[in-house]
Amino acid sequence: MIIAVKIIISAALAVNLASCSDKSMQIVLQEENNAGENVSTDPLAYLEKYDVLKNYVNREDNPVFKLGVGMTVSEFLKKNINYYIACQNFDEMTAGNAMKHSSVVRDDGSMDFSTVTAFVQAAHDAGMTVYGHTLCWHSQQRKSYLDRLAASAGTEQERKDVLYGALETWIAGMMGACRENPDAEEGEDRGRMLVTAWDVVNEPMSDGRPDELKSASNQEAESVARSFYWQDYLGKEYVRYAIKYARKHGGDGLLLFVNDYNLEATYNNNRKCEGLIKMIEYWESDGETRVDGIGTQMHVTYSLDPEKQRKNEMCVENMLRMLAATGKLIKISELDMGLQDKNGNDILTEDVKLWQHKAMAGYYNFIIRKYFEIIPPEQRYGITQWARTDSPKDSGWRPGLPSGIWSFGPRHLWQCCFLCVPLPLRQPQQCWYPYALTKE
C-alpha cells in the first residue's frame, strides 16, 4: 500500500509520494548472486509491489466503508509530508483536537471556527471527507465558560435552559462552519454539508461503573477538575438534545455515532460495550432519537503474555459480535497499538525487536480480519488508524510507544512492513495492512 519501501523525507519526494514504483524514492541494498545479477538484501524489498492503502478496499463488497486516519489539523494545512500521506492513502480524516469545544469556544463564549473551516475546505479540495469529532464530550470543553453559565442560573430549570442554549449554539455554529459556503451572510444559502458523519457524543460511559454515564460522582478527582459533565446538569437526556440539535442544524441525513473506548477491554469482559448498547437503547426509547452508529476506539495493546493476549483477542471478537447485533453502522474509530512485556510493562519504540513488531502486526491482522468477518457489509462504516507514526517521547498521547503504522528511523527514514488481511480486498489480490518498524 503506501510507501512500501524506505523513503528519505525531503521536499523533492513530496509530489511523488503516491507511487511505490518510483525507483528514485527507494534505498535498496544490493548484492550480486552467483550469476552476477543484482539481488536485494533488504528484507522489506518485497513491499515495492504494493499500492496505496485505500486502493485495496473492495468498494463493491464494502459500499459504505471508509479507510480513515487521525490528523493534526495544523500539519494537514501545511501541506507537508503528512498531507500527502493522508491524501494518497486514506478516504477520510478525523481531526485530533481542532473540532472540539475548547479549540473553538473562548472563555467569553464567543467562537472561532476559522481553523475548522480551513480544514474542511482543504480536505474537500483534496477529495477527502472529514469525520466530525466531537459535538458533545466531558473533556476538552471550555470549562470556565460553562461553569460560569451553570453558576449564574438561579433554579435547576434555569440552569438547564442556559446550558441547553449553549449546547445548541455550539452545535449550530459547528454545523454552519462545515458547509460549502460557511462565510455566507445571514439569510444566504450556506450550501450543503461537507461533514456528514459525526461523533455526536464521545466517551459517555463510566469505566468503573460501565452501566452508568460518566459523572463527577464516579470519576477520579483529577478528571473531575478538568471536565464538564453535561449529564450532571442535564441528566441522561442530554444526548437526545445533542442529537436533536445536530439534525436540526445539519440535516436529518447526518450519520450520528456514539464513540467510546475500552469496549474490547478484558478487565470487565466487555461490560462497558454492553452498557453502552443498553444506554443507546434507552436514548432511542423515546421513539424520536436515532443513533446511526457506534464507534469503538480500540487503543489496544499487544501483550507478550500468551494468556493475556488470548483474552485480548477473545474480547475483541466478543465486542464485534455485540456491536454487529445492534444493526447499526460500526466504526473502529481510533485504532492504534502499544506493546507490553509479560509483566504488563510498556515497551518503548526504541526497544522493540523485529519479532515483536511482527507480533503486533499479527494483532492488527486479527483485528481487521475479524472486523470484516463479523460486521456485515452494510454496517461497515470504516476503520480509522489514529496514529500515523510512532509517538514521540514528549507526546501527550502514548508517549514513546510504537503506536503508529509508520516510524521515523535513523536518518529520518520511513520504513513499512505489511501483513496479510485478505477479506476486504479485491480478489485475487490480498489486502495488506501496514505496521511500521524501524530497521537498524
Side-chain angles (χ1 to χ4, degrees), residues 43 55 88 142 175 227 257 265 314 400 422:
N55 286 354
Q88 297 296 346
R142 184 58 65 185
M175 295 297 110
S227 300
F257 287 69
M314 180 188 72

Side-chain angles (χ1 to χ4, degrees), residues 41 64 81 87 143 205 229 239 299 314 349 352 400 413 431:
T41 60
V64 301
I81 191 169
C87 292
K143 179 175 168 59
M205 306 307 294
Y229 298 98
V239 173
H299 299 296
M314 180 188 72
T349 302
V352 182
L413 300 183
C431 178

Side-chain angles (χ1 to χ4, degrees), residues 101 105 109 111 113 134-138 141 145-146 149 159-175 199-201 228-231 234-246 249:
H101 191 272
V105 180
M111 298 182 291
F113 289 100
T134 173
L135 295 178
C136 197
W137 193 20
H138 65 277
Q141 308 298 283
Y145 168 64
L146 295 173
L149 285 183
R159 185 160 48 249
K160 286 186 176 182
D161 291 344
V162 72
L163 288 175
Y164 275 132
L167 182 61
E168 181 171 12
T169 298
W170 148 248
I171 292 176
M174 182 60 80
M175 295 297 110
D199 286 335
V200 63
V201 175
F228 185 85
Y229 298 98
W230 291 90
Q231 82 108 10
L234 305 176
K236 291 192 294 186
E237 286 69 28
Y238 83 96
V239 173
R240 291 173 173 165
Y241 282 84
I243 291 171
K244 174 183 175 181
Y245 298 149
H249 297 285

Side-chain angles (χ1 to χ4, degrees), residues 149-194:
L149 285 183
S152 68
T155 66
E156 180 180 350
Q157 186 58 50
E158 288 172 344
R159 185 160 48 249
K160 286 186 176 182
D161 291 344
V162 72
L163 288 175
Y164 275 132
L167 182 61
E168 181 171 12
T169 298
W170 148 248
I171 292 176
M174 182 60 80
M175 295 297 110
C178 294
R179 291 185 177 272
E180 281 184 305
N181 304 306
D183 298 324
E185 298 293 332
E186 187 174 352
E188 295 181 349
D189 183 14
R190 289 189 171 185
R192 66 185 179 91
M193 285 290 297
L194 297 182

Side-chain angles (χ1 to χ4, degrees), residues 15-281:
V15 295
N16 296 315
L17 201 55
S19 175
C20 293
S21 61
D22 184 348
K23 298 303 179 182
S24 68
M25 296 169 63
Q26 302 173 13
I27 304 173
V28 180
L29 303 177
Q30 299 287 332
E31 66 178 14
E32 289 189 353
N33 63 11
N34 292 336
E37 300 171 331
N38 285 334
V39 294
S40 173
T41 60
D42 181 359
L44 304 183
Y46 71 95
L47 299 173
E48 295 175 32
K49 62 186 176 181
Y50 296 111
D51 201 353
V52 295
L53 297 184
K54 64 184 178 183
N55 286 354
Y56 286 89
V57 178
N58 184 332
R59 304 296 174 176
E60 292 183 4
D61 291 348
N62 301 279
V64 301
F65 183 89
K66 292 184 180 181
L67 186 63
V69 64
M71 178 59 62
T72 301
V73 168
S74 59
E75 297 261 337
F76 186 79
L77 294 178
K78 291 175 185 175
K79 295 191 175 180
N80 59 16
I81 191 169
N82 294 290
Y83 172 91
Y84 290 99
I85 287 174
C87 292
Q88 297 296 346
N89 286 273
F90 300 98
D91 304 308
E92 185 167 78
M93 290 180 292
T94 303
N97 291 302
M99 300 178 80
K100 293 173 181 174
H101 191 272
S102 63
S103 296
V104 172
V105 180
R106 299 188 180 101
D107 193 57
D108 63 357
S110 61
M111 298 182 291
D112 180 3
F113 289 100
S114 57
T115 299
V116 173
T117 296
F119 176 54
V120 171
Q121 292 294 325
H124 180 65
D125 292 343
M128 297 186 73
T129 58
V130 170
Y131 182 87
H133 177 72
T134 173
L135 295 178
C136 197
W137 193 20
H138 65 277
S139 184
Q140 291 184 252
Q141 308 298 283
R142 184 58 65 185
K143 179 175 168 59
S144 57
Y145 168 64
L146 295 173
D147 282 345
R148 283 201 311 275
L149 285 183
S152 68
T155 66
E156 180 180 350
Q157 186 58 50
E158 288 172 344
R159 185 160 48 249
K160 286 186 176 182
D161 291 344
V162 72
L163 288 175
Y164 275 132
L167 182 61
E168 181 171 12
T169 298
W170 148 248
I171 292 176
M174 182 60 80
M175 295 297 110
C178 294
R179 291 185 177 272
E180 281 184 305
N181 304 306
D183 298 324
E185 298 293 332
E186 187 174 352
E188 295 181 349
D189 183 14
R190 289 189 171 185
R192 66 185 179 91
M193 285 290 297
L194 297 182
V195 182
T196 57
W198 292 82
D199 286 335
V200 63
V201 175
N202 194 44
E203 302 177 359
M205 306 307 294
S206 169
D207 292 293
R209 301 177 183 178
D211 56 344
E212 297 180 7
L213 296 177
K214 281 191 176 78
S215 165
S217 65
N218 61 28
Q219 298 299 295
E220 298 291 337
E222 181 182 356
S223 177
V224 171
R226 52 184 169 79
S227 300
F228 185 85
Y229 298 98
W230 291 90
Q231 82 108 10
D232 285 354
Y233 299 95
L234 305 176
K236 291 192 294 186
E237 286 69 28
Y238 83 96
V239 173
R240 291 173 173 165
Y241 282 84
I243 291 171
K244 174 183 175 181
Y245 298 149
R247 298 201 188 282
K248 175 181 176 180
H249 297 285
D252 194 56
L254 293 183
L255 296 177
L256 300 181
F257 287 69
V258 178
N259 186 48
D260 219 325
Y261 64 92
N262 277 356
L263 304 188
E264 77 290 344
T266 62
Y267 70 87
N268 61 16
N269 295 311
N270 303 112
R271 279 195 60 207
K272 190 172 183 181
C273 185
E274 180 183 2
L276 176 62
I277 292 170
K278 289 182 178 179
M279 190 62 69
I280 291 173
E281 291 173 351

Side-chain angles (χ1 to χ4, degrees), residues 7-14 81:
I7 298 172
I8 296 178
I9 298 179
S10 67
L13 72 82
I81 191 169

Side-chain angles (χ1 to χ4, degrees), residues 346-361:
D346 289 329
I347 298 177
L348 298 179
T349 302
E350 62 197 49
D351 298 322
V352 182
K353 304 296 187 289
L354 178 59
W355 70 269
Q356 294 169 338
H357 279 297
K358 290 182 176 180
M360 295 174 74

